[in-house]
Amino acid sequence: MFDLTGKKALVTGGSRGIGRGIVLALAKQGAAVAVNYHSRVDEAAAVMAEVKKLGRPALVVQADVSQKDQVIKMFDQIRQTWGQLDILVNNAGILSQAPFQDLTEEQWDQVMAVNLKGQFLCSQEAVKLMKPGSKIINLASIASGGVGVGFGLIAHYTASKGGVVALTENMAVDLAAKGINTNAIAPGVIESDMTKGMLADEQYQKGLLARIPKGKAGKPEDIGAAAAFLASDEASYITGTVLYVDGGWLAG
Ligand code: NAP
């Protein structure tokens, strides 16, 4: 089940947190993985070494996913190394916080550029290297909207993740004829650098965990497992959907 032997994958933001969890899950299932990072080359190199230790081919590819020229260069590197891509995980993302009235245009543009435009740019380039049976997985969030989770202070982030769900559905329709599946994973609260500030705050953590039926935050490997499933042949009839991995938050 979920055998990815011989598949070539790219995980954006694979150097840390959820991205690292996804890289390792895909590699454990047999995939060769390209680990994209933005600025932390040492972390990316360490993840690449872990993939190689599992006996899978790996490479590190630097690019700011919001910059088209850098994205094109990254995919050129993959084309030259592998000549194809079977799995793209659009994981790179950033978060900042501000009350709505204080949110700056710069904060809005930055979050939109990385979280939403980055997925668009990478997916367009990836499709050029993909054949039927390939998979694209976009990281959304339970903050994507439409599911009754009210968050404050992150209007730009929630708007970007709502956009990811809309993008995912449209891509699934447009790319079905090419035999490419596109789905989203919507994590709840997962332990990573992005959430360590809020999880370190005891009061905040108490309030947060009270909303999660499983009573704890998730781990990057929980998202990795979901990605390995959606990347596999077993998920070939699943496209245009959102898989919530939230410890039961939305059901609670
Ligand atoms: P994280 O720990 O902050 O890691 C972010 C990753 O994204 C790093 O690998 C970073 O690379 C990369 N990155 C940031 N900006 C980039 C850019 N412009 N171009 C390329 N890579 C870039 O975040 P995380 O918690 O693992 O989150 C991963 C994804 O899951 C994000 O899309 C996030 O919105 C989503 N998500 C997270 C949670 C959660 O609870 N953690 C919940 C819902 C959704 P460097 O190491 O080089 O900086």
Side-chain angles (χ1 to χ4, degrees):
M1 292 278 269
F2 316 144
D3 182 17
L4 303 177
T5 305
K7 307 272 189 204
K8 310 285 189 281
L10 166 64
V11 180
T12 68
S15 48
R16 290 185 281 136
I18 290 175
R20 174 178 172 275
I22 294 170
V23 169
L24 296 179
L26 299 182
K28 277 180 191 149
Q29 295 309 116
V33 191
V35 180
N36 158 258
Y37 72 99
H38 179 218
S39 54
R40 302 208 191 178
V41 65
D42 291 349
E43 272 98 332
V47 177
M48 179 177 72
E50 287 183 87
V51 174
K52 287 188 171 166
K53 221 170 152 187
L54 289 166
R56 319 295 182 216
L59 66 145
V60 156
V61 282
Q62 196 281 334
D64 177 341
V65 295
S66 69
Q67 302 299 316
K68 187 170 178 167
D69 54 338
Q70 296 185 31
V71 169
I72 288 172
K73 266 193 202 152
M74 172 168 71
F75 279 89
D76 274 349
Q77 216 179 319
I78 291 168
R79 184 184 297 108
Q80 281 163 24
T81 312
W82 289 332
Q84 67 177 80
L85 191 71
D86 306 290
I87 300 160
L88 167 67
V89 184
N90 282 310
N91 165 78
I94 55 172
L95 172 72
S96 57
Q97 293 194 10
F100 181 71
Q101 286 299 102
D102 298 335
L103 194 57
T104 65
E105 184 181 4
E106 195 191 7
Q107 283 176 307
W108 176 275
D109 287 346
Q110 209 182 9
V111 162
M112 284 292 171
V114 177
N115 295 8
L116 185 55
K117 184 179 167 188
Q119 296 199 0
F120 158 65
L121 293 174
C122 289
S123 299
Q124 262 196 345
E125 290 308 307
V127 167
K128 296 175 188 169
L129 296 178
M130 287 180 156
K131 54 183 192 316
S134 298
K135 309 286 192 323
I136 298 175
I137 299 163
N138 297 330
L139 266 289
S141 168
I142 54 166
S144 294
V147 288
V149 180
F151 283 108
L153 306 176
I154 51 170
H156 52 336
Y157 181 84
T158 56
S160 74
K161 294 298 184 180
V164 166
V165 172
L167 174 70
T168 302
E169 290 176 355
N170 194 99
M171 282 170 59
V173 174
D174 281 353
L175 299 178
K178 289 185 184 293
I180 299 170
N181 293 32
T182 309
N183 290 293
I185 297 174
V189 176
I190 308 296
E191 291 171 7
S192 74
D193 288 343
M194 189 179 273
T195 53
K196 75 175 175 205
M198 56 179 102
L199 290 174
D201 180 329
E202 214 173 296
Q203 272 309 100
Y204 193 87
Q205 195 194 62
K206 255 190 172 170
L208 201 65
L209 299 189
R211 300 171 77 173
I212 305 172
K214 291 289 271 184
K216 59 181 181 183
K219 296 199 179 296
E221 46 269 37
D222 295 318
I223 307 303
F229 164 59
L230 287 175
S232 72
D233 289 347
E234 282 78 3
S236 63
Y237 197 60
I238 301 174
T239 195
T241 197
V242 181
L243 177 54
Y244 291 92
V245 184
D246 65 354
W249 184 318
L250 296 181

